[in-house]
Amino acid sequence: MPLALVVRENKKLVVEEFDLPKYGPKELLIKVTHVAQNPTDWKHVHFDLAKPGSIVGCDFAGEVVEVGSEAVGNYKKGERVAGCVHGGQDAKLDVRGAYSEYVVQEASLVFRYPSDMSPEAASTIPLASITAALCLFHEMNLPFPPATAQVPVLIWAGSTSVGQYAIQLAKAAGCYVITTASAARHDYLKELGADVCFDYKDKNA
């Protein structure tokens, strides 16, 4: 039986066997090969947000094992994909986390990644990029790229995972991008699309 990192009472994490998850007609069954760690993973456990019996973890990369009959994207068994799930949710809802040997996700919510990209790198993309996109295009209602929003946007902590995606997406939406980071990161962030960088250590920033 496959293994997973499961939340138990009193914030305890244990490695346990679990039944191979069932997949629906629009979903893929994926064998997880790599995962990434996000703040939400440990916070779900530390702040008692994860239900006992749930599997934690969001970001993953892996290989397609089974394809639902109505799954979009023309995925094939053995293809390398990456995506994310909402780990730490109630296992009774059949929502399972990424810190397991197998995971199920809708085909529309995973992606193929280039052959020259490592699965380690691919596993870090989903949650950070989605977080940045939701902030810019859902919460702030910026137009989807390509666009010419022509508005200034401040992205605090631009060198973080979310910050780097936010800079690129905001620039693609036509924004004037202002960000903060340590001085050593300014040139790199300008390559990503930042127009102005401020040192977050500067008391005047």
Side-chain angles (χ1 to χ4, degrees):
M1 296 179 70
L3 300 175
L5 189 61
V6 181
V7 180
R8 290 302 175 194
E9 286 72 15
N10 300 317
K11 305 178 183 180
K12 186 177 181 180
L13 289 170
V14 294
V15 176
E16 294 183 358
E17 293 183 338
F18 72 107
D19 293 330
L20 193 67
K22 298 178 181 179
Y23 62 97
K26 297 182 179 180
E27 296 175 325
L28 305 176
L29 175 64
I30 299 163
K31 180 174 177 55
V32 177
T33 60
H34 296 78
V35 296
Q37 188 173 34
N38 295 280
T40 186
D41 300 328
W42 66 263
K43 287 180 179 179
H44 263 69
V45 179
H46 183 74
F47 294 109
D48 286 326
L49 300 174
K51 305 290 186 181
S54 64
I55 299 172
V56 292
C58 297
D59 280 331
F60 66 86
E63 297 178 356
V64 176
V65 176
E66 297 290 349
V67 181
S69 59
E70 300 175 17
V72 299
N74 196 31
Y75 286 101
K76 306 296 183 185
K77 294 181 181 180
E79 280 195 286
R80 302 193 312 166
V81 296
C84 65
V85 291
H86 194 162
Q89 295 298 291
D90 194 339
K92 294 180 181 179
L93 300 177
D94 206 28
V95 178
R96 299 183 180 275
Y99 291 177
S100 57
E101 292 188 292
Y102 290 88
V103 70
V104 167
Q105 182 56 292
E106 285 193 28
S108 62
L109 298 177
V110 303
F111 61 92
R112 300 175 177 91
Y113 57 93
S115 59
D116 60 350
M117 177 180 286
S118 70
E120 292 92 340
S123 70
T124 68
I125 294 173
L127 192 60
S129 61
I130 290 171
T131 301
L134 285 173
C135 177
L136 295 171
F137 306 122
H138 180 70
E139 296 297 326
M140 297 178 63
N141 292 314
L142 292 176
F144 288 111
T148 54
Q150 296 182 333
V151 295
V153 172
L154 171 62
I155 298 171
W156 196 265
S159 63
T160 62
S161 296
V162 174
Q164 291 178 57
Y165 285 110
I167 289 170
Q168 296 174 81
L169 291 171
K171 194 64 177 181
C175 298
Y176 183 80
V177 181
I178 306 164
T179 192
T180 64
S182 62
R185 306 291 287 172
H186 288 184
D187 288 344
Y188 171 68
L189 297 181
K190 287 181 179 179
E191 290 178 5
L192 293 183
D195 293 288
V196 178
C197 298
F198 291 97
D199 189 340
Y200 74 94
K201 297 177 183 178
D202 187 338
K203 63 181 181 181
N204 295 317

